[in-house]
Amino acid sequence: MNFVYISPQFPKHYWKFCDRLKRNGVNVLGIGDSPYNELRDELKAALTEYYYLPTLEDYDAVFKAVSFFSFKYGKIDWLESNNEYWLEQDARLRTDFNITTGEKVENISRIKSKSAMKAYYGLAGVATARLHKVTTQDAAKIFIAEVGYPVIAKPDVGVGATDTLKLSNDAELEKFFSDGLKVPYVLEEFITGEICSYDAILNSKSEPLLEAMTVWAPSVMDIVLKQLDLSYYTTDCAPEKLCKVGRATAKAFGVKSRFVHLEFFRLTEAKAGLGEVGDFIGLEVNMRPAGGYTPDMINFAQSTDVYQIWADMVTSNERKLLDSGEHFYCVYASRRDFHQYIHSHEEILACYGKNLVMCERMPEMMVPQMGNQMYTAKVADLAATKEFIRFVQEQRS
């Protein structure tokens, strides 16, 4: 099997996807924009060959790289980046090389456009917040008259919380329009709830081989806009209520043979026409693994190896790795250099040393979302999770 992996060096822990493919006997062919001598040794060992390009933004150059691999090794069976930024290019390459094991370009809009997603949630029977495709300010006011302030303004096609705004009054709405729209935007009614993700590895029938739940608080949008400290956690298991809506959503979107990150609101206040406290409301779909170190956090929470489960899905369409039975909560808490905290770095290490599974500085490009310094721990339950977050992030008044 020939597998072309796009940008295998980023994020840095994605070498594990390539490593597990190699363990399964796959011919792993990498295309990336980091020089070969800058790749970590584990990635070099996992790749049969690596094709360096100064930029992956040049489609013709990436096309030529895939053509070279196809000429040298034969038909390409899989092509993947597992990265939101490259999903559309991945689809275009699969279409041009007739690679049938993933999304093709004619279907990509349903998983990239937030407005296009709504119809598929409807097919799944999953409630979603009302949405308006931004056209004019007058049309926006009509929508807001129906749903009320605040509303969320975000690019119809975008990654994470980039360029997302919360509009709370007419003055903010007017400023939003006066600033000019560089890309198509949507307005969405505001939902009061926790953001919970259904993280799953799906086989070729859209059936889950692994399921996990991650709870994000505060939201990534608030973290970026207000420069708050990020904390989130992976639970010991995914509740059946989330699994039900997650499976239905995956089926409705027709997504298969992928690692997915499907986002839902879990209502903390009842919302007329949507649901009661504790109900899950569709937010958006992401047809790639959750960001940051979440795949590793799932590993720690479920004592498993999501990279191996994914590789087994690729090569055998089944899960071969058995559940160990040991489940925990895995919690991430970060800090920003410009805040003053009650507990020092040394105190955190002294108090939680035996629980810490990761502790490191974050790369500069990830600081707006992830913070400067991160601590990740494996703990027993939700109460211990909340206490860890408090201890790490409590600030001096």
Side-chain angles (χ1 to χ4, degrees):
M1 177 184 290
N2 293 318
F3 193 115
V4 171
Y5 205 111
I6 305 294
S7 190
Q9 81 287 356
F10 183 83
K12 65 180 183 179
H13 51 292
Y14 274 23
W15 67 267
K16 297 175 186 177
F17 285 116
C18 298
D19 175 76
R20 305 314 189 264
L21 286 173
K22 184 184 179 182
R23 291 186 192 181
N24 284 12
V26 176
N27 205 31
V28 188
L29 308 166
I31 301 173
D33 54 9
S34 294
Y36 181 78
N37 61 0
E38 294 181 6
L39 304 183
R40 59 190 302 148
D41 290 340
E42 297 94 335
L43 178 56
K44 290 178 181 177
L47 297 176
T48 300
E49 189 167 351
Y50 180 72
Y51 196 115
Y52 165 69
L53 292 171
T55 175
L56 296 177
E57 301 282 357
D58 184 345
Y59 182 79
D60 290 340
V62 179
F63 180 92
K64 289 176 182 177
V66 179
S67 297
F68 169 77
F69 283 148
S70 180
F71 174 79
K72 185 172 181 178
Y73 296 100
K75 177 163 175 53
I76 305 303
D77 301 291
W78 283 75
L79 184 145
E80 186 60 76
S81 67
N82 279 326
N83 192 309
E84 182 80 24
Y85 189 80
W86 302 117
L87 284 183
E88 291 179 89
Q89 181 168 275
D90 290 350
R92 185 178 174 187
L93 289 165
R94 290 192 202 100
T95 300
D96 288 346
F97 286 91
N98 194 29
I99 302 168
T100 59
T101 49
E103 298 288 342
K104 290 195 173 183
V105 72
E106 61 268 21
N107 294 321
I108 201 70
S109 64
R110 83 191 194 291
I111 62 174
K112 291 291 291 182
S113 164
K114 294 175 179 63
S115 57
M117 292 176 189
K118 294 293 182 178
Y120 294 91
Y121 280 117
L123 290 175
V126 176
T128 61
R130 287 169 287 185
L131 177 144
H132 167 73
K133 294 181 74 172
V134 171
T135 51
T136 66
Q137 187 171 338
D138 288 341
K141 286 183 175 180
I142 293 172
F143 172 73
I144 294 169
E146 179 183 353
V147 302
Y149 281 114
V151 293
I152 303 300
K154 52 189 176 182
D156 193 20
V157 176
V159 180
T162 304
D163 298 323
T164 298
L165 302 169
K166 182 179 179 181
L167 307 178
S168 300
N169 51 55
D170 285 345
E172 291 179 358
L173 179 70
E174 185 171 340
K175 184 178 186 307
F176 169 70
F177 275 92
S178 66
D179 288 344
L181 305 179
K182 297 178 182 178
V183 295
Y185 262 75
V186 297
L187 296 180
E188 197 166 55
E189 70 176 312
F190 184 79
I191 302 293
T192 303
E194 299 175 297
I195 296 179
C196 302
S197 64
Y198 172 78
D199 299 299
I201 297 173
L202 307 173
N203 67 12
S204 63
K205 296 181 180 179
S206 297
E207 299 166 340
L209 304 179
L210 170 134
E211 296 174 296
M213 179 172 83
T214 304
V215 181
W216 308 77
S219 72
V220 176
M221 180 188 71
D222 284 339
I223 289 161
V224 173
L225 295 179
K226 301 176 183 178
Q227 290 292 278
L228 303 177
D229 288 331
L230 170 64
S231 65
Y232 69 98
Y233 58 91
T234 299
T235 60
D236 56 348
C237 61
E240 185 56 37
K241 199 170 186 178
L242 175 65
C243 290
K244 183 177 180 181
V245 296
R247 294 166 193 162
T249 300
K251 285 278 189 182
F253 276 85
V255 61
K256 56 188 179 180
S257 302
R258 294 195 69 78
F259 206 141
V260 299
H261 173 67
L262 312 182
E263 296 180 5
F264 297 87
F265 287 112
R266 181 165 57 183
L267 294 181
T268 53
E269 292 182 12
K271 182 80 171 180
L274 286 182
E276 302 299 322
V277 172
D279 287 346
F280 289 99
I281 308 301
L283 175 54
E284 63 181 67
V285 298
N286 300 279
M287 301 309 180
R288 42 78 180 171
Y293 286 114
T294 310
D296 298 276
M297 291 173 63
I298 296 171
N299 283 345
F300 292 124
Q302 298 191 17
S303 300
T304 193
D305 185 340
V306 300
Y307 305 100
Q308 187 62 55
I309 295 170
W310 175 84
D312 289 342
M313 176 274 293
V314 170
T315 57
S316 67
N317 198 39
E318 62 183 12
R319 175 169 177 166
K320 296 184 176 181
L321 197 63
L322 299 178
D323 192 317
S324 71
E326 288 190 287
H327 286 215
F328 307 87
Y329 275 63
C330 189
V331 52
Y332 175 108
S334 69
R335 313 207 306 189
R336 297 188 184 277
D337 290 348
F338 55 77
H339 289 158
Q340 297 295 314
Y341 299 93
I342 290 178
H343 299 291
S344 68
H345 172 73
E346 290 71 25
E347 288 175 311
I348 294 170
L349 298 184
C351 185
Y352 283 101
K354 67 181 187 303
N355 299 93
L356 290 176
V357 291
M358 288 185 282
C359 173
E360 64 181 66
R361 299 286 295 178
M362 297 304 293
E364 197 62 34
M365 68 176 297
M366 299 179 73
V367 166
Q369 297 85 10
M370 306 296 289
N372 296 101
Q373 173 69 44
M374 68 86 109
Y375 303 89
T376 304
K378 188 166 66 174
V379 297
D381 52 30
L382 180 58
T385 294
K386 292 181 176 179
E387 174 56 23
F388 176 78
I389 295 170
R390 184 203 65 77
F391 191 89
V392 171
Q393 296 185 340
E394 190 172 11
Q395 296 181 24
R396 299 185 187 278
S397 56

